[in-house]
Amino acid sequence: MSKKVIPENIKIALQIEDNENSDAKLIIANKELAFQNQEKEKRAQELVIANEELAFQNQEKEKRAQELVIANKELEFQNQEKEKRAQELAIANEELLYQNQEKEKRAQELVIANEELAFQNQEKEKRAQELVIANKELLYQNQEKEKRAQELIIANKELLYQNQEKENRAQELVIANEELAFQNQEKEKRAQELVIANKELEFQNQEKEKRAQELAIANKEIETFTYISSHDLQEPLRKIQTFSSRIFVEEYDNLSAMGKYYVERTKLSALHMQTLINDLLAYSRTKTIQRKFVNSNLNKIAKEAIKMLKEEIHEKQAKIEVNLEHKADVIPFQFRQLLQNLISNSLKYSIDELKPHIVIKSDFVKYDKKSSEKFILKCDYCHISVSDNGIGFDPQFKHKIFEIFQRLHHKNDYKGTGIGLTIARKIVENHNGIIAANGEINKGAQFDIYIPTVQIQ
């Protein structure tokens, strides 16, 4: 391929054109350099102003720093004053806490003193009752001695009469002597029988004293148990409940899922223990409390028991029919507890999909010892029945359900301690009565109570 040749005149023209372009570029560059120099002067002036402003700001910062030093000193002084006030407040709180503890100790000592005084009063009443019984026995013995003395007077009169008869009837002397000998033999027999009777009476008195001592020991043990249950057991239990509640409330977010579960189980166990102690106390009171019978309207007592269970009845939407149109000698608060326990039992063991229906009624039974009819009690008595439509129970366990702590279901299925029906049986026994239970699985249960209408006190 051949190389293209450019003419000379064209080359010259191109060089001239390049020179002109270079001159134009130089002019533009000079203008730009002048503009840049002007801009640099402006920047220099702005830098001077900025340095002045920076110096002013540094002076202001030094002033603020000095003011901050003064403020920090004032703040430190205030903090020292606050610490002094806090220490004084802590001392005051400690003194107040000590005073409160002293007050609690005095209150506890006063409670113990009152309990000891009540116990001493109970002991005095027991001694007074024993003295009354001893006086009655002494009166009875004196009456027996008077009878023996009167019999001796009569015997002496008979002997005098016999001597007179002997003098008048010498011929009947042999017969009279034989009769006298026979009478003496009879008197010796009576004397021997009296000796034996006195020994038996003495033995019975000794047995009564032993029984009285055993009863006193048992009552003291029950009182000790009641005191321990109501004080020594209640106090640590209340602390367990308090601290577990505080852990659950105050440390809830810090607990793991398993920790929350353990705390909940602790609270439930403490609540179960509280219920158990209360039930045991109720059971012990049915044994130790003095029995004072009052002729009462049973219908009124039943309504009081229903009122005590108002919330449970409303929650279960239960229907309760009461027809106790009879009066009887009862211990009112115990009989109310009896009906309350039986109604509560029916509500507890109801069928989930069925509204509870409880019927409470009574019949009066007149006792006739000449009648061939079979009577539950050997006196006029009242038959009270409490029936429901609940889950019932297997008939083979009808006696077991009254035993203490006996449950026919797992404790997780139904709440309770297994003491309610035991208390019911004890209350009926306190009324010299009988309680029986009958039921079928899923066909309800019925409790029959038989108590005398008139109690001999």
Side-chain angles (χ1 to χ4, degrees):
M1 185 176 178
S2 61
K3 186 176 180 183
K4 189 176 180 181
V5 179
I6 299 172
E8 188 69 25
N9 58 347
I10 293 173
K11 289 182 179 180
I12 294 170
L14 289 172
Q15 289 177 355
I16 293 170
E17 187 178 352
D18 290 336
N19 291 332
E20 289 176 355
N21 290 334
S22 297
D23 292 336
K25 290 179 181 179
L26 182 60
I27 292 169
I28 293 168
N30 290 329
K31 288 179 179 180
E32 289 178 354
L33 181 61
F35 176 76
Q36 289 175 0
N37 290 331
Q38 291 174 354
E39 289 297 314
K40 286 180 179 179
E41 289 178 0
K42 290 178 180 179
R43 298 293 85 77
Q45 291 173 355
E46 292 174 356
L47 183 60
V48 171
I49 295 169
N51 288 332
E52 291 175 354
E53 289 179 355
L54 182 60
F56 176 76
Q57 290 175 358
N58 288 333
Q59 291 173 355
E60 289 297 313
K61 285 182 180 179
E62 288 178 0
K63 290 179 182 179
R64 295 294 83 78
Q66 292 173 355
E67 292 174 356
L68 183 60
V69 169
I70 295 169
N72 286 333
K73 289 180 179 179
E74 290 179 354
L75 181 61
E76 183 179 0
F77 176 75
Q78 291 174 357
N79 288 334
Q80 291 174 351
E81 290 297 311
K82 286 182 181 178
E83 288 179 0
K84 290 179 181 178
R85 297 294 86 77
Q87 290 174 354
E88 293 173 356
L89 182 60
I91 294 169
N93 287 335
E94 288 176 356
E95 290 179 353
L96 181 60
L97 177 62
Y98 175 75
Q99 292 174 358
N100 289 335
Q101 289 174 348
E102 289 298 310
K103 287 181 180 178
E104 289 179 0
K105 289 179 182 178
R106 296 296 86 75
Q108 291 173 354
E109 291 173 356
L110 182 60
V111 169
I112 293 170
N114 288 334
E115 289 174 353
E116 290 179 351
L117 181 60
F119 175 75
Q120 291 174 0
N121 289 334
Q122 290 173 354
E123 288 298 311
K124 287 180 180 177
E125 290 178 0
K126 290 178 182 177
R127 295 296 84 76
Q129 291 173 356
E130 292 173 356
L131 183 60
V132 169
I133 294 170
N135 287 334
K136 288 180 180 178
E137 291 179 353
L138 182 60
L139 178 62
Y140 174 75
Q141 291 174 359
N142 290 333
Q143 290 173 349
E144 289 296 312
K145 287 180 180 179
E146 288 179 1
K147 289 180 183 179
R148 297 293 85 79
Q150 290 173 357
E151 290 175 357
L152 184 60
I153 291 171
I154 294 169
N156 289 330
K157 287 180 179 179
E158 289 178 353
L159 183 60
L160 179 61
Y161 174 76
Q162 289 170 3
N163 289 332
Q164 290 173 352
E165 288 296 313
K166 286 176 184 178
E167 291 176 358
N168 295 329
R169 296 173 182 84
Q171 294 176 356
E172 297 173 355
L173 182 59
V174 175
I175 298 172
N177 286 333
E178 290 177 354
E179 289 180 354
L180 183 59
F182 175 75
Q183 289 175 1
N184 289 332
Q185 290 174 356
E186 288 297 312
K187 286 181 181 179
E188 288 178 0
K189 289 180 181 179
R190 296 294 83 78
Q192 291 174 354
E193 291 174 356
L194 184 60
V195 170
I196 294 170
N198 287 333
K199 288 182 179 179
E200 290 179 352
L201 181 61
E202 184 180 0
F203 175 75
Q204 290 174 359
N205 289 334
Q206 290 174 351
E207 289 297 310
K208 286 181 181 178
E209 289 179 0
K210 289 180 181 178
R211 296 294 86 75
Q213 291 174 355
E214 291 173 357
L215 182 61
I217 293 170
N219 285 335
K220 287 182 179 178
E221 290 177 351
I222 292 173
E223 288 174 1
T224 302
F225 165 77
T226 303
Y227 180 83
I228 291 172
S229 299
S230 60
H231 295 84
D232 297 350
L233 290 179
Q234 296 275 25
E235 180 60 25
L237 182 59
R238 280 194 291 269
K239 287 184 178 179
I240 291 171
Q241 291 175 319
T242 300
F243 287 124
S244 61
S245 297
R246 289 179 65 181
I247 291 172
F248 193 75
V249 172
E250 298 175 6
E251 301 294 331
Y252 185 84
D253 294 334
N254 298 330
L255 295 174
S256 64
M258 187 58 69
K260 294 173 184 176
Y261 171 77
Y262 289 151
V263 174
E264 289 176 354
R265 296 303 301 170
T266 302
K267 290 176 66 181
L268 289 174
S269 297
L271 180 61
H272 178 72
M273 185 64 179
Q274 182 78 55
T275 304
L276 180 61
I277 291 172
N278 291 336
D279 286 347
L280 285 172
L281 285 173
Y283 180 67
S284 67
R285 291 191 187 104
T286 61
K287 285 188 168 186
T288 59
I289 196 159
Q290 186 176 3
R291 298 189 294 176
K292 294 183 180 179
F293 295 99
V294 179
N295 189 257
S296 306
N297 185 325
L298 302 184
N299 215 49
K300 181 180 178 182
I301 295 176
K303 288 180 180 178
E304 291 174 357
I306 292 171
K307 187 176 180 181
M308 297 293 289
L309 296 168
K310 182 179 179 181
E311 293 181 359
E312 292 88 337
I313 293 170
H314 178 72
E315 181 182 351
K316 292 274 189 175
Q317 297 182 345
K319 178 182 179 182
I320 301 180
E321 296 181 24
V322 180
N323 184 18
L324 299 178
E325 300 301 331
H326 297 96
K327 286 188 174 183
D329 289 348
V330 297
I331 307 169
F333 79 93
Q334 281 197 7
F335 199 80
R336 181 173 63 249
Q337 182 70 46
L338 166 65
L339 293 179
Q340 187 175 332
N341 284 10
L342 294 178
I343 295 170
S344 177
N345 190 74
S346 295
L347 292 173
K348 184 191 301 181
Y349 296 108
S350 60
I351 298 174
D352 292 338
E353 62 273 11
L354 188 64
K355 292 181 180 179
H357 183 197
I358 303 170
V359 179
I360 307 171
K361 60 183 181 179
S362 67
D363 292 313
F364 173 74
V365 180
K366 180 71 176 177
Y367 175 65
D368 183 3
K369 62 181 179 180
K370 296 180 181 179
S371 174
S372 60
E373 184 180 352
K374 185 177 181 181
F375 294 93
I376 301 296
L377 300 177
K378 303 299 182 183
C379 61
D380 296 345
Y381 61 89
C382 193
H383 172 207
I384 302 157
S385 65
V386 180
S387 58
D388 60 52
N389 61 342
I391 63 173
F393 59 86
D394 192 328
Q396 66 175 318
F397 299 122
K398 66 180 182 179
H399 299 296
K400 183 180 179 182
I401 60 176
F402 292 110
E403 296 177 8
I404 192 167
F405 299 129
Q406 290 297 327
R407 299 167 61 92
L408 304 185
H409 305 277
H410 193 274
K411 67 179 181 179
N412 292 332
D413 296 335
Y414 297 95
K415 295 180 180 179
T417 59
I419 301 179
L421 293 180
T422 307
I423 294 174
R425 182 182 65 179
K426 187 59 187 174
I427 291 173
V428 174
E429 290 175 353
N430 285 348
H431 287 76
N432 302 308
I434 297 171
I435 185 171
N438 292 288
E440 292 185 35
I441 296 176
N442 293 325
K443 291 187 178 180
Q446 177 170 322
F447 292 87
D448 294 291
I449 303 163
Y450 307 89
I451 59 170
T453 53
V454 178
Q455 298 282 354
I456 300 174
Q457 302 191 46

